[in-house]
Amino acid sequence: MRSWDLGNLLGFLINPSGINYARLRIWYGQVANDLPPSAKVIDLYKENGIKRIRIFDPNPKTPQAVRGSNIELLVCVSNGDIENLANNAAAATDWVQRKIKAYFPDVRFQYIAIENEIKLNDAIALYVLPVMLFYTNVLT
């Protein structure tokens, strides 16, 4: 039996064929030792024609390196931030200001993901929809 997380379920509801189009994007994780600087990684992506990147921690170095490149970003809200952002509108607004608006329009943000492999029975799952709705209102 397949283990379904919230992202898979939402993806399946939107795309019932089950094809995961997010796999066509490069995932840029930054939790490790001895990683090259973001600017070098982004230069490597540019050299190889990579146009879409998913970043899990929108620290300032990555969007700064992507500025003006036409690389599209899918930015993830860290799972550890979701409950606070769902319960604190000021924190959620500040997150959008610091992580998105500070770089727009020089950085092309394609999506904001409000979860990363959260299971339906995880305690944090109930906070995903409120954050999604808040960001929908703030960004439109």
Side-chain angles (χ1 to χ4, degrees), residues 44-85:
L44 179 66
Y45 291 166
K46 290 175 191 175
E47 290 169 17
N48 288 283
I50 295 168
K51 297 290 184 190
R52 296 174 13 174
I53 303 170
R54 179 176 182 159
I55 57 174
F56 294 95
D57 177 24
N59 70 59
K61 292 178 183 177
T62 303
Q64 287 170 1
V66 171
R67 266 197 165 122
S69 69
N70 285 330
I71 292 176
E72 296 175 345
L73 293 182
L74 183 157
V75 177
C76 296
V77 173
S78 301
N79 289 357
D81 293 338
I82 291 174
E83 183 177 355
N84 181 46
L85 298 178

Side-chain angles (χ1 to χ4, degrees), residues 7 9 23 27 31-32 38 44 53 82 100 106 114 117 137:
L9 179 61
R23 291 186 181 162
W27 292 27
V31 180
S38 293
L44 179 66
I53 303 170
I82 291 174
I100 305 298
D106 297 331
I114 311 296
E117 298 182 5
N137 290 331

Side-chain angles (χ1 to χ4, degrees), residues 15 19-27 52-54 74 110-111:
N15 176 18
I19 297 170
N20 186 351
Y21 292 104
R23 291 186 181 162
L24 301 175
R25 156 183 340 276
I26 300 296
W27 292 27
R52 296 174 13 174
I53 303 170
R54 179 176 182 159
L74 183 157
Q110 187 178 30
Y111 301 109

